Amino acid sequence: MGRIAIVTGSDRGMGKETALALAHHRYTVIMACIDIPNANITCDEIKRLSDNQNVFVKKIDLSSIASIKEFARAFLQDFDQVNILINNAGIVTMNHEITEDGFEKTMAVNTIGPYLLTKLLAPHFPAGEDNRIINMSSWIYKFGKFSIDKMNRYHYVKAYAVSKYAQLLITLELADELKKKGITINAANPGTVRTTIMYTNIKFYDFIIDMLMAPLYISIEEGAKTGIYLATSDEVKNKTGNLYRKCKPIAVSKKFNNKTIRTKLLQYYETIFEKFN
Ligand SMILES: NC(=O)c1ccc[n+]([C@@H]2O[C@H](COP(=O)([O-])OP(=O)(O)OC[C@H]3O[C@@H](n4cnc5c(N)ncnc54)[C@H](OP(=O)(O)O)[C@@H]3O)[C@@H](O)[C@H]2O)c1
């Protein structure tokens, strides 16, 4: 089967572009998706475009811990290792929704779910190989100042910003621990990309914001480049614990890279993992 990559949310947008790139690189690609009919269509397209038949769809709903565990179980039943995990899937929600496990939905899909998936899969990266985890962050993390006690109370754009900030902090915090297991972990900021996430759950004034933002949008191909670079380039083979933009590491200022919050966040996520594992 060769090297194996999992890409969450790969039936459309940057996840699809990333899965296609990895299929071109002759990876066995597991598309971890929520919309199975659409994922099957995309899977066929990726196989045809890459001439790689080792592309498979498996169901995951990152808002549900039961579904994440079921995905890990089903994956490990068919495959005995993973080399690359791309935590790409993400949402913006207009309403304040609480998941079946008791978490605000944006937080669940964008950062808690990916953390649990990372934890479940980490023991299955092979020792001594080139193993990588890539988390999707965003420039919006700078608006995501949060308090852990209020994690379930944020909503809409604030919840999205908090989730992306938390996802960045947890990437930085996990780097040392994963390094001991021979896994690198980095975050990608793709820029502002014209994908469906920009058009779902919109409010009336978002049309005005959209018109103003339009000149800044980049294509899906352009936006996916940094994540693909982190997954495939030899230049970053041993690099870990960084945020990348346009395929270059960018500094996270001390104002945002707060060790106390990082440690507390990891403890919070660990408590969730232990409770549900
Ligand atoms: N677009 C931007 O400007 C931008 C900027 C910075 C960061 N990002 C991040 O980049 C990543 C990719 O986003 P995109 O822009 O490519 O958006 P997209 O086209 O909307 O793709 C998002 C993907 O996530 C999947 N997803 C949603 N809810 C899910 C769930 N509960 N379980 C599993 N998968 C789920 C979606 O599946 P369905 O559509 O089939 O439901 C879709 O495949 C996200 O993490 C996003 O936050 C995007």
Side-chain angles (χ1 to χ4, degrees), residues 253-270:
S253 72
K254 276 195 181 154
K255 183 177 159 198
F256 294 102
N257 192 358
N258 181 311
K259 181 67 185 158
T260 311
I261 299 176
R262 277 170 45 174
T263 309
K264 276 190 185 166
L265 187 67
L266 184 62
Q267 280 165 359
Y268 174 65
Y269 285 5
E270 266 304 293

Side-chain angles (χ1 to χ4, degrees), residues 40-58:
N40 283 331
I41 294 168
T42 303
C43 180
D44 288 344
E45 189 186 340
I46 291 176
K47 282 180 184 169
R48 185 171 47 76
L49 292 173
S50 64
D51 198 19
N52 178 347
Q53 295 308 303
N54 289 324
V55 184
F56 305 94
V57 171
K58 288 209 180 286

